[in-house]
Amino acid sequence: MNKQLTLLVLICMLLSACNKSIKTLPVESGVAKTLADYRKTNISNLEYQLQFDIPEGKSAEIPGKNKIIFNLASTDQDLQIDFRESANLIKSVKANGKVSAYRFESEHVIIPKKELKKGQNSIELEFITGNTSLNRNDEFLYTLFVPDRARTAFPCFDQPNLKANFELSLSVPSHWKAMGNGKLSQVKEDGHRTTYEFAKTKPLPTYLFSFVAGKFETITREHNGREHTMYHRETDPEKLANNTDEIFRLLFESLDWLEEYTDVPYPFAKYDIVVIPSFQYGGMEHTGATLYNASRMFLDKDATKNSLLARANLIAHETAHMWFGDLVTMKWFDQVWLKEVFANFLADKITNPSFPDMNHDLKFQMAHFPSSFSVDRTSGANPVNQVLPNLKDAGTVYGAIIYHKSPIVMNMLENITGAEALKKGLQTYMKDYAYGNASWEDLIAILDATTEFDLKHWSKVWVDKAGRPTIECNIESENGKISKLSISQTDAKGNPGDWTQDLNLLLGYKESSKLIQFTMDKSIVEVEEANGLAAPDYIIPNAKGDAYGFFKLDDSSKAYLLKDFDSIQDDLARGISLINLYENLREGIVSGKEFVSAIEKQIVREQNSLILERMLSYLKSAYWLDLSPNERKLLGKTLEESLWIRLSSEKDMSKKSSLYSALSSIAETPERLSQLFKVWKEEIAIGGFSLSETKATTLACNLAIKMPEKADELIKTQTERIQNPDRKKKMQFVAPALSSDPEVRKEFFESLKSEENRQIERWALEGLRYLNHPLREQEALSYLPQALELLQEIQVTGDIFFPYNWLSVSYSGLQSKEAGDITRKFLEERPDYPENLKLKILQTSDVVLKK
């Protein structure tokens, strides 16, 4: 008996010790990684049954209900349900059929553990839907919950690795339409209201749950036995006629290609699309309810090849997400790039057949390298893989690195493994993790089994390390012959670099060239194959486009490219040389005057559309940011004339459109402005080139800034010309930013301090860009401290790209040391400023910080 008693006491002590060892999870704002990890191990078989009763008025409350059904492995902890809204929006909570004694704390509805049970549970909540991510307009609304915004609308477990089946019921005004992720299963009419009920979805993360409601028109096409519907608000019949068939063609082409490549049939019940006016992004891959930006889909009839290509890439990108991101989802948003790298990398492959006359290696260069370099050249460069302790900061991991450097890295990976091996590896990855979650490391493990290359070490350098190598050619010659050629690589601090990559070194001569391939696997590599060859006129270290870094120009290469850039016959090598030349401008090796003068000479010579458009984009940037006002006066007239001559004589409408855009941007002389004013008034034309409504509006806005005496006429008349009600409202919104009265402009900036006036982010950004035009730099400097002060609030209230874009347009017209001083002071006075936002500031202010 004593032994039994002793044993019982020991068991009680052991249980007590175990209970004490179970730490209570802290309740903190956002979705902490520790909370998410615990919920992932404890919650399974998750289902949401959601109802929303949507009124017509955009300010009226939206009542909602959510029944959450799930299994619990343990009841050791209270249940934290995420809801980033006020506690008073929660109207009632039931746990397993009984009224809950819940509490609301730090953005969470907390269900006491005593109300829970192992096995299946249900939590029923009635609430008023939060507005933060509903994007409510006068005649429609759409949800946008990426990356952690579902919890701003309804209570949920807002993390990507807790996938759930969603059932949705939407009650809307009877003259509205509604759509969601699932297939429409039933429509009920009840007087002035209609209820749309949608079938249960396959497992989805909360960020992909979506619904749209409002006044939309629909167009339906059938492909392979499945109907696909496009919802839209476009009122221009010509735009619809010119674009609809092509949109559906690109969509179907993408679906067919991805089914073949992945060896997985389209994995969801439907694929409908909604084309949204002034949508924040290019697109968003909600399963079955994918959203697209109207301006990216409904193009002008004389759209540039780059615009056509961008649309094809966008549709392919969002369609690729149905597999990469939607079917297989990253585990946590620190690897959000994982879905983006696949979407961008595969989108490039998908679009190639649609543009058979295009140089696709060149297209890849122009699509990804300039954007990636725009961040990697700065002191705010971030690695592809980023640290994310709390999902509330997930928006700050987005940017050019995850969208544009990652496809470059993936291209390197394909070169290492081979295209077929990568394809088979991705097919295994798709099937092993279907409707679940996976990491980059899971893919590397699959691929590592089929290659002798050390992929883990390679990944550590290219995925986990920030920045780019500086690669420099050092050449010694005797009697016109190379005696020694070495290539060195260093990091941003000048230390020896450890990036491994293949370089294709082009030694260029006036009449010929020599290509030498070697592996850059050390900090210094001697290219022995070059010994004895004639000393080149110029060197392109990355002539095939596989290598990544800042390629510092030697003196002879710099002189040659500035003078004889057009003599490089190979389009890919010439395009790469243009990018290298611009990066040397940004790094201070080439001056603004040298660069603009060189480009001005090339405008009449360049025939490749991709290179010409990139050249003109660089020209606009360099003209405003790298020339002083005196240099603009010195070079501007000749530059305008070169653009006008090429624009007037050019037959290709795509090139003509690019040239027109550049001229409209840089024109400053009274003569040219007068000429463009007459073009806008339709008194004269430019060689068969007619202005679309979009181009006429852009021109009117440019001229309003440069011809303030005509600003009122330009804006009033152009607003009256616009027929589409959504575009007209946008013009009315930004009009104060174009006013000739500085007080009106100041009032517009002050209005942006209110979250309500930033709800349509593209409108707010466009108006802010007008306020910060280079010709208004002194005025813009007064806005900069306030724009920086608003950044933390904007991160909380805005969507994922808004903080970066807010900063980007705030610095868009600034080139002075004073702007750099304001930025330095702001950061110095805030030593504890959030690191993720500090990096965004350093990325966007790079030009002025180098002054």
Side-chain angles (χ1 to χ4, degrees), residues 295-357:
S295 65
R296 298 281 300 275
M297 297 289 272
F298 295 127
L299 303 179
D300 292 338
K301 61 181 179 182
D302 54 359
T304 66
K305 281 190 177 178
N306 260 10
S307 295
L308 295 168
L309 174 62
R311 177 175 65 184
N313 263 94
L314 173 62
I315 292 172
H317 175 108
E318 303 305 338
T319 307
H321 272 314
M322 299 302 118
W323 285 261
F324 297 92
D326 295 9
L327 177 61
V328 179
T329 308
M330 68 279 163
K331 295 177 179 178
W332 190 241
F333 267 87
D334 56 353
Q335 289 197 347
V336 63
W337 67 273
L338 188 57
K339 71 184 181 73
E340 301 304 337
V341 67
F342 291 133
N344 262 349
F345 179 70
L346 296 176
D348 289 328
K349 291 180 176 291
I350 294 167
T351 56
N352 286 0
S354 294
F355 296 83
D357 298 329

Side-chain angles (χ1 to χ4, degrees), residues 348-594:
D348 289 328
K349 291 180 176 291
I350 294 167
T351 56
N352 286 0
S354 294
F355 296 83
D357 298 329
M358 187 170 285
N359 183 325
H360 294 291
D361 290 334
L362 177 62
K363 181 194 79 170
F364 187 83
Q365 285 286 316
M366 296 304 176
H368 300 300
F369 282 76
S371 294
S372 184
F373 287 160
S374 71
V375 172
D376 253 355
R377 77 168 80 99
T378 75
S379 57
N382 59 269
V384 176
N385 253 348
Q386 299 174 67
V387 177
L388 185 65
N390 194 305
L391 208 60
K392 67 182 180 180
D393 297 319
T396 62
V397 306
Y398 285 79
I401 295 301
I402 71 166
Y403 280 95
H404 296 289
K405 187 173 184 178
S406 60
I408 296 168
V409 172
M410 183 61 76
N411 190 53
M412 293 179 180
L413 178 61
E414 186 180 54
N415 288 338
I416 293 168
T417 64
E420 191 60 29
L422 178 61
K423 178 179 176 179
K424 289 185 181 303
L426 288 175
Q427 289 177 350
T428 300
Y429 174 84
M430 279 286 100
K431 292 167 184 175
D432 285 355
Y433 297 102
Y435 301 109
N437 301 81
S439 68
W440 170 250
E441 291 74 21
D442 292 326
L443 174 63
I444 291 297
I446 291 170
L447 296 172
D448 235 354
T450 62
T451 178
E452 295 179 3
F453 192 88
D454 188 351
L455 289 179
K456 289 181 180 178
H457 174 74
W458 168 86
S459 175
K460 186 174 180 60
V461 174
W462 283 102
V463 174
D464 295 334
K465 186 174 181 175
R468 61 182 182 176
T470 292
I471 296 176
E472 192 169 358
C473 299
N474 305 285
I475 190 166
E476 298 176 16
S477 61
E478 295 179 8
N479 302 318
K481 302 287 186 181
I482 297 173
S483 57
K484 182 180 180 182
L485 175 58
S486 63
I487 312 294
S488 64
Q489 63 168 329
T490 54
D491 64 17
K493 296 180 180 178
N495 300 316
D498 61 348
W499 289 267
T500 297
Q501 57 182 326
D502 291 332
L503 262 65
N504 287 275
L505 187 73
L506 183 76
L507 304 179
Y509 308 91
K510 285 184 172 60
E511 302 297 331
S512 63
S513 62
K514 170 70 175 177
L515 190 69
I516 302 174
Q517 183 178 9
F518 63 96
T519 299
M520 190 80 199
D521 55 1
K522 297 187 287 289
S523 59
I524 299 177
V525 174
E526 290 193 19
V527 187
E528 295 182 359
E529 190 178 336
N531 294 342
L533 296 175
D537 295 313
Y538 62 94
I539 299 174
I540 306 175
N542 58 327
K544 291 294 185 182
D546 292 329
Y548 183 88
F550 167 53
F551 300 93
K552 186 176 180 180
L553 291 174
D554 60 87
D555 290 341
S556 60
S557 297
K558 171 186 167 181
Y560 189 91
L561 292 179
L562 287 171
K563 183 174 179 292
D564 296 308
F565 167 82
D566 61 301
S567 70
I568 302 173
Q569 296 299 308
D570 181 74
D571 285 348
L572 178 60
R574 192 169 70 260
I576 290 168
S577 297
L578 173 65
I579 294 172
N580 289 350
L581 195 61
Y582 183 77
E583 291 304 310
N584 277 264
L585 164 69
R586 294 272 66 91
E587 296 287 0
I589 310 302
V590 173
S591 73
K593 185 178 178 181
E594 288 175 323

Side-chain angles (χ1 to χ4, degrees), residues 665-676:
S665 171
I666 66 105
E668 281 192 275
T669 64
E671 300 83 4
R672 194 65 60 195
L673 292 175
S674 176
Q675 202 169 30
L676 287 172

Side-chain angles (χ1 to χ4, degrees), residues 275-291:
V275 185
I276 303 285
S278 297
F279 185 54
Q280 294 95 314
Y281 317 152
M284 179 58 208
E285 67 272 16
H286 301 133
T287 303
T290 301
L291 308 186

Side-chain angles (χ1 to χ4, degrees), residues 590-748:
V590 173
S591 73
K593 185 178 178 181
E594 288 175 323
F595 184 83
V596 172
S597 297
I599 296 302
E600 188 271 323
K601 294 182 179 67
Q602 300 300 327
I603 288 171
V604 297
R605 304 171 185 170
E606 184 56 58
Q607 295 303 314
N608 184 283
S609 296
L610 291 173
I611 297 176
L612 178 64
E613 188 152 350
R614 173 54 54 186
M615 183 185 292
L616 294 171
S617 175
Y618 281 160
L619 174 66
K620 289 184 283 187
S621 172
Y623 181 84
W624 291 114
L625 297 181
D626 299 290
L627 297 182
S628 67
N630 285 335
E631 287 173 330
R632 292 208 305 267
K633 287 181 182 177
L634 181 67
L635 300 174
K637 188 171 184 178
T638 304
L639 181 56
E640 290 174 9
E641 189 64 22
S642 296
L643 285 167
W644 181 266
I645 290 171
R646 175 77 191 267
L647 172 59
S648 300
S649 60
E650 179 60 56
K651 304 299 183 187
D652 183 286
M653 285 299 171
S654 173
K655 293 175 185 173
K656 197 182 274 287
S657 185
S658 300
L659 290 158
Y660 161 78
S661 175
L663 179 62
S664 175
S665 171
I666 66 105
E668 281 192 275
T669 64
E671 300 83 4
R672 194 65 60 195
L673 292 175
S674 176
Q675 202 169 30
L676 287 172
F677 184 72
K678 291 177 180 177
V679 170
W680 172 77
K681 291 191 76 172
E682 300 177 344
E683 293 176 359
I684 62 172
I686 314 169
F689 182 74
S690 58
L691 293 187
S692 65
E693 180 193 282
T694 304
K695 287 185 172 63
T697 301
T698 302
L699 179 57
C701 295
N702 275 328
L703 292 177
I705 295 170
K706 298 172 182 178
M707 305 174 77
E709 72 282 359
K710 295 187 180 295
D712 289 346
E713 176 189 353
L714 283 156
I715 300 310
K716 181 177 181 295
T717 304
Q718 188 58 38
T719 303
E720 292 170 352
R721 287 180 180 179
I722 298 172
Q723 298 300 310
N724 181 279
D726 296 314
R727 290 194 287 270
K728 189 183 286 285
K729 287 176 185 175
K730 174 186 173 184
M731 189 66 175
Q732 291 165 339
F733 179 87
V734 302
L738 296 163
S739 172
S740 58
D741 185 342
E743 287 302 313
V744 173
R745 299 198 296 267
K746 183 179 178 182
E747 286 176 14
F748 178 81

Side-chain angles (χ1 to χ4, degrees), residues 815-835:
Q815 63 173 156
S816 65
K817 181 179 179 298
E818 187 178 350
D821 291 340
I822 290 171
T823 307
R824 280 183 282 270
K825 181 183 178 184
F826 179 86
L827 293 174
E828 286 166 3
E829 290 177 348
R830 295 162 179 81
D832 298 325
Y833 197 72
E835 183 65 19

